[in-house]
Amino acid sequence: MHTIDLAYVGRGIHEELVAHVAEQEGYFDDEGVHVALRDGSGWETERLRGGASIGIGRALVSRLTDGLEWQALCVNTHRPLFWFLGGADVQSMADLRGRRLAVHAPHTAPGCFARIVLRKHGLDPDHDLDCVIRSPGDYQMDLRRLRDGSVDAAYVGSTLAPEQVAAEEGFHVLAWVGDHFQIPAVGIAADTSRLSIVSPALQALVRANRRALKAIAEQPDLAVDYVAALLNRLTRDEAQQHYDRYIKPYFSADGRVDIDVAQKAIDTVAAELGVASTSADNVYQLAR
């Protein structure tokens, strides 16, 4: 049996759902590959390069800024699962002006996406609001800080369901990144200077990932079961609503990339980072 490390670089169903389905349903075993799932959210890029990564967004950023030879072999979705969540007094993106926003660092993929969406709403992240930088996690501390008023809004990921949290806490869902910025953000990526794209283990991993995507698309009850298991504060009905809103319409059934969306996204990210862009064909050639 082949072996390979697979690292997620952020928590939540955005990165974990597809790999979780593949693991629990036995797709890795069926493909003859032992996949060691790693929590790489705190890893430096050098350590990530030794195996495959779910975080295509982070891989793209390091390719643009450091010239590393990351390539995506499978794309799960073009709609990043991050949200702007406002406290009790922040009811719209416009209300963020002059407020304190807990958010990822600008040079990270989620932080870069946040800045792009802020600009789309006419907000300069460096001057129009106070960006309180924090490390990614399960966002529970963000909720605590929203409750005590030490921040006015938070940019949160898919370790929670924003509508459910907002309803319980009296908060407001201001915007979903996926409605405003599309980019291939998660899937299977590898640094081809370290791991050959024809590696049997890597190819087996990709096949299992595609099979999990197909199952999520074609077996909604199965998918909702896994959403409910990963987001265990949700009722089954709430998990169904989350799947219907964010997963079913936007997760790929085959892992392929929309190359036009990818190119526009790469150009936008490069401009935000202040670096040269690159051709999407170089990054997603095998994910078509």
Side-chain angles (χ1 to χ4, degrees):
M1 179 173 282
H2 303 294
T3 63
I4 192 169
D5 284 351
L6 175 63
Y8 51 86
V9 296
R11 302 303 302 270
I13 64 171
H14 182 56
E15 296 220 5
E16 296 181 78
L17 177 62
V18 178
H20 188 63
V21 170
E23 180 183 46
Q24 294 299 309
E25 292 298 307
Y27 300 158
F28 295 145
D29 290 340
D30 290 347
E31 293 294 342
V33 60
H34 173 72
V35 178
L37 284 170
R38 309 290 193 187
D39 180 355
S41 54
W43 289 5
E44 297 295 331
T45 300
E46 184 62 29
R47 187 176 181 186
L48 285 172
R49 297 172 73 192
S53 174
I54 295 172
I56 296 178
R58 178 168 170 177
L60 171 63
V61 168
S62 72
R63 180 165 185 145
L64 290 172
T65 57
D66 303 318
L68 302 180
E69 297 178 24
W70 288 99
Q71 188 168 75
L73 285 80
C74 191
V75 170
N76 295 351
T77 182
H78 296 71
R79 306 263 182 159
L81 292 182
F82 292 94
W83 296 263
F84 289 87
L85 187 64
D89 298 329
V90 180
Q91 301 184 34
S92 69
M93 290 295 284
D95 289 344
L96 287 175
R97 192 175 300 275
R99 305 283 190 144
R100 295 158 297 181
L101 170 69
V103 67
H104 304 67
H107 66 278
T108 65
C112 181
F113 303 164
R115 292 170 68 87
I116 289 167
V117 174
L118 287 168
R119 294 189 197 281
K120 285 179 177 284
H121 285 85
L123 295 165
D124 183 335
D126 295 318
H127 299 101
D128 291 338
L129 63 162
D130 181 8
C131 289
V132 180
I133 304 302
R134 49 89 167 101
S135 299
D138 67 359
Y139 304 101
Q140 292 303 310
M141 183 56 74
D142 286 345
L143 300 185
R144 181 174 177 177
R145 296 175 76 185
L146 282 169
R147 292 186 200 106
D148 68 21
S150 57
V151 298
D152 302 298
Y155 179 75
V156 301
S158 59
T159 61
L160 49 81
E163 287 87 357
Q164 177 255 339
V165 169
E168 285 187 3
E169 302 283 353
F171 300 154
H172 303 93
V173 180
L174 309 180
W176 174 42
V177 168
D179 279 336
H180 302 282
F181 180 57
Q182 284 76 62
I183 185 171
V186 285
I188 301 294
D191 182 341
T192 56
S193 70
R194 297 289 184 86
L195 185 61
S196 170
I197 58 175
V198 296
S199 157
L202 183 58
Q203 290 299 318
L205 172 61
V206 170
R207 290 193 298 271
N209 196 85
R210 291 182 187 274
R211 187 175 172 190
L213 285 169
K214 189 171 188 289
I216 289 167
E218 296 182 356
Q219 300 178 57
D221 287 344
L222 176 77
V224 172
D225 285 343
Y226 282 115
V227 169
L230 290 170
L231 297 177
N232 56 19
R233 286 182 60 183
L234 299 186
T235 65
R236 187 61 167 63
D237 286 345
E238 289 168 338
Q240 180 72 58
Q241 292 166 10
H242 198 74
Y243 170 81
D244 290 341
R245 171 68 174 95
Y246 299 111
I247 308 299
K248 181 179 180 180
Y250 301 121
F251 270 58
S252 169
D254 58 13
R256 298 185 182 276
V257 71
D258 184 322
I259 205 68
D260 293 329
V261 169
Q263 187 62 66
K264 183 177 179 181
I266 291 172
D267 293 342
T268 303
V269 168
E272 178 61 43
L273 295 172
V275 298
S277 188
T278 190
S279 170
D281 288 321
N282 295 332
V283 181
Y284 304 102
Q285 185 175 1
L286 297 182
R288 285 183 156 188

